[in-house]
Amino acid sequence: MGNPMRIRAQVAGSNALVKVLMSHDMETGVRKDGAGKLIPAWHIAEVSATHNGKSVLTAEWGTGVAKNPFLQFTVKGAKVGDKIAITWKDNHGDSRTDEATVS
């Protein structure tokens, strides 16, 4: 399931700027270990975000995203106290959801 995401959501005018740091190894499937064997692909495949339960972002990722990916986006109309939830699912079926309060 991975470590908790670090999510920061701060009001900027009439919007909120959301910054997310996800903890995931993000293997491409083409790298080899010390014995020369391929390390199987293991990467975040889907990311979604909600603002007070309403979907505001969906993304499909592939193997080209770096280890411990960082994501930043803006949510229109967010106010202090609103909830932002981020969910990721990887190609092995693991998932994680974390939530932050807009400040």
Side-chain angles (χ1 to χ4, degrees):
M1 173 132 134
N3 294 324
M5 289 178 261
R6 295 179 62 185
I7 305 170
R8 179 177 295 166
Q10 294 181 311
V11 169
S14 62
N15 303 323
L17 180 63
V18 180
K19 297 178 181 182
V20 185
L21 182 61
M22 302 172 204
S23 179
H24 198 286
D25 284 343
M26 302 294 283
E27 286 293 344
T28 63
V30 296
R31 202 167 65 91
K32 294 181 180 180
D33 64 14
K37 290 186 173 188
L38 282 178
I39 299 170
W42 182 39
H43 57 87
I44 294 174
E46 298 174 25
V47 178
S48 61
T50 62
H51 169 229
N52 292 332
K54 180 183 173 192
S55 179
V56 292
L57 176 135
T58 57
E60 293 181 4
W61 286 0
T63 60
V65 179
K67 179 179 180 177
N68 300 325
F70 174 79
L71 174 66
Q72 178 176 307
F73 60 96
T74 302
V75 177
K76 292 183 180 183
K79 301 177 207 62
V80 172
D82 287 357
K83 301 290 184 188
I84 304 290
I86 310 294
T87 300
W88 61 252
K89 295 178 186 173
D90 70 19
N91 66 319
H92 287 183
D94 292 332
S95 66
R96 173 137 199 127
T97 300
D98 289 299
E99 185 177 87
T101 302
V102 177
S103 60

